[in-house]
Amino acid sequence: ILLILTVAFRSVGSAALTVLLNALPVAAYFGALGLSGVPLNNATALLGCVVLGIAIDDTLHFVSRHRDRARAGSDAATASVEALARVGRPVTWTTAALCLGLSVLTTSDLVTQAQFGALGALTLFFAWAADVTVAPALCSYLQWRPEAVRGSLGSRLLGFPAHHPDRDRHVVEQSLSGGSQ
């Protein structure tokens, strides 16, 4: 997941932030599993992967929107507010639908299915809570620099064009003054 996100974001830092934010719900899940005394079996072991795959989508939307707003010139705190305003409602509705859908499994006569439903809904709710509280707070703390993002590891390894603000400014100044490069 980290490798795929690094390519998608063209930034190891953004990818690591997204994975870190989604490691919290998975860690909480395994903590809840241990505290509740629910045994680790095929269904409960699989749930950590399922929740990570679902929860990372919401975080990806938030972090991506935050970076876009920061690139557009918003400071980190304003970018967090704008990103949350943009993705907060859809993230909340999809999480509510998924939690309700998993909660239906709690009525199952099969114990593993009931555990899967209850723990899945609880973990997705925790992932949502982290996406609307921890993600904005952490992104507000960070400063996304467009030149750092464009000249990232993904750009160098995959051949994406790197951004050079000094070179671009120099080209613009020369073209305005009638000179050539």
Side-chain angles (χ1 to χ4, degrees):
I1 292 173
L2 181 65
L3 181 61
I4 291 169
L5 289 174
T6 300
V7 171
F9 280 133
R10 297 182 190 173
S11 166
V12 175
S14 296
L17 173 69
T18 305
V19 170
L20 172 69
L21 288 168
N22 285 282
L24 296 173
V26 173
Y29 164 70
F30 283 110
L33 194 66
L35 288 174
S36 66
V38 174
L40 188 63
N41 55 41
N42 289 341
T44 56
L46 178 64
L47 188 58
C49 298
V50 169
V51 167
L52 179 62
I54 294 170
I56 204 159
D57 182 56
D58 294 341
T59 309
L60 181 68
H61 286 289
F62 177 81
V63 171
S64 179
R65 179 67 60 172
H66 183 276
R67 288 182 58 203
D68 290 346
R69 297 310 312 145
R71 283 182 182 161
S74 297
D75 64 88
T78 303
S80 286
V81 170
E82 292 170 348
L84 192 56
R86 180 78 171 148
V87 302
R89 184 177 297 184
V91 163
T92 299
W93 281 110
T94 57
T95 300
L98 288 167
C99 288
L100 287 173
L102 284 169
S103 295
V104 170
L105 293 175
T106 61
T107 62
S108 174
D109 290 334
L110 297 172
V111 175
T112 56
Q113 292 293 329
Q115 291 170 344
F116 186 89
L119 288 168
L122 178 69
T123 307
L124 283 176
F125 176 78
F126 186 84
W128 169 82
D131 281 337
V132 298
T133 58
V134 177
L138 193 54
C139 287
S140 291
Y141 177 73
L142 299 174
Q143 293 292 328
W144 300 110
R145 293 179 310 278
E147 60 275 359
V149 173
R150 289 187 190 110
S152 65
L153 176 64
S155 297
R156 291 189 300 270
L157 289 178
L158 300 174
F160 294 119
H163 178 68
H164 300 288
D166 291 334
R167 182 196 67 205
D168 294 346
R169 188 185 72 230
H170 179 69
V171 169
V172 169
E173 287 172 353
Q174 284 208 349
S175 67
L176 292 174
S177 68
S180 63
Q181 184 176 358

